[in-house]
Amino acid sequence: MLHTATSTTPLHSPELEGGVKGIVSDWSADQQSFKKVPWGKAMMWICLVSDTFIFSIFLISYMTARMSATDPWPHSSEIFALTIAGKSIPLVLIALMTFILITSSGTMAMAVNFGYRKNRKVTFILLMITAFLGASFVGMQAFEWTKLIVEEGIRPWGNPLGAAQFGSVFFMVTGFHGTHVSIGVIFLIIVAIKVYRGDLDNERPGFLTGRKGNYEIVEIVGLYWHFVDLVWVFIFAFFYLW
């Protein structure tokens, strides 16, 4: 019986440098990983990370103010209730706002999907639906603010229903988030118009155009919008359910 010899030559991995040179080499290798990442997406991630710290500081400040307040904190089920058909329904407006924002996150994800399929018509429609839902959220937030200011008499510097800190913290955090949503709506409309006109396919010179035939700007605005939605989940839990 004949036996055929097989090659058993070991495969050697590249030799790693030691010491300081090795550390520098390892960190420099990450630069290769980011070479294919669009600069717009990388900048958006940096922006979102910095925004995460800001919102975290705001929420921690809210918890500190609430736990250190000597006056009673207003009950969310009462202060955020709406009177419908003569009955006071707690948190109905806030629940609707949350539903709208979560739904907009779904339409945004679909817009990114169809964007990479280069389906201009469907991408445009989904971006406009997302912008409409975002604008509806801002409108409802404006209604909520009007109710608290006009009917309840709450101000950033005072609160007749309890702890004075409530007004300042509430208007600061929800206003900051509402500003982000408003900016996102403008961002969505601009991108939707560019998709509709075919700017992304023809690489038409202008703001937020990107590379020819590439719909990465839709994904970038999607990252921003999903972040805004995620932040609202924490605001909803801390302000309205606690």
Side-chain angles (χ1 to χ4, degrees):
M1 183 181 293
L2 297 175
H3 296 276
T4 57
T6 58
S7 175
T8 57
T9 305
L11 297 175
H12 296 284
S13 60
E15 190 173 338
L16 300 177
E17 295 185 76
V20 177
K21 288 186 177 180
I23 297 175
V24 173
S25 178
D26 290 341
W27 280 96
S28 299
D30 291 340
Q31 188 261 359
Q32 302 293 331
S33 303
F34 285 97
K35 271 193 171 180
K36 295 183 180 179
V37 176
W39 69 268
K41 186 186 291 187
M43 293 300 102
M44 178 57 74
W45 274 114
I46 293 174
C47 173
L48 297 183
V49 169
S50 62
D51 246 8
T52 300
F53 287 116
I54 296 174
F55 274 108
S56 299
I57 291 170
F58 280 174
L59 292 176
I60 292 172
S61 300
Y62 162 74
M63 290 187 288
T64 303
R66 179 164 182 171
M67 290 186 292
S68 61
T70 54
D71 295 325
W73 203 263
H75 294 289
S76 58
S77 59
E78 297 175 1
I79 198 170
F80 297 115
L82 280 183
T83 302
I84 301 176
K87 294 184 179 180
S88 180
I89 304 177
L91 301 177
V92 60
L93 178 64
I94 312 304
L96 182 59
M97 290 168 61
T98 304
F99 174 77
I100 286 175
L101 210 55
I102 292 176
T103 302
S104 72
S105 193
T107 57
M108 185 69 246
M110 293 172 63
V112 174
N113 189 315
F114 280 95
Y116 277 111
R117 295 183 188 181
K118 299 186 179 181
N119 190 326
R120 285 169 49 191
K121 182 178 179 180
V122 178
T123 303
F124 167 76
I125 293 173
L126 289 169
L127 285 173
M128 291 304 297
I129 291 174
T130 306
F132 172 77
L133 293 173
S136 301
F137 175 89
V138 174
M140 291 181 180
Q141 191 171 60
F143 173 80
E144 178 192 32
W145 275 36
T146 304
K147 177 180 178 296
L148 292 176
I149 294 172
V150 177
E151 295 183 11
E152 308 294 347
I154 298 175
R155 303 289 189 274
W157 52 85
N159 174 26
L161 303 179
Q165 298 95 321
F166 172 81
S168 58
V169 178
F170 175 80
F171 288 120
M172 178 184 68
V173 176
T174 58
F176 191 62
H177 178 265
T179 302
H180 277 69
V181 177
S182 302
I183 293 172
V185 170
I186 297 173
F187 198 6
L188 285 165
I189 293 174
I190 292 174
V191 174
I193 292 173
K194 286 185 171 293
V195 170
Y196 179 78
R197 296 193 308 190
D199 292 356
L200 305 184
D201 295 315
N202 304 323
E203 198 177 8
R204 179 177 176 179
F207 182 58
L208 298 176
T209 298
R211 295 177 292 181
K212 185 176 181 179
N214 198 308
Y215 281 67
E216 63 193 22
I217 187 62
V218 179
E219 183 181 2
I220 292 172
V221 70
L223 290 174
Y224 178 87
W225 195 255
H226 292 316
F227 171 80
V228 170
D229 292 353
L230 179 62
V231 169
W232 175 254
V233 172
F234 287 94
I235 294 176
F236 176 76
F238 281 89
F239 273 94
Y240 302 102
L241 297 183
W242 183 11

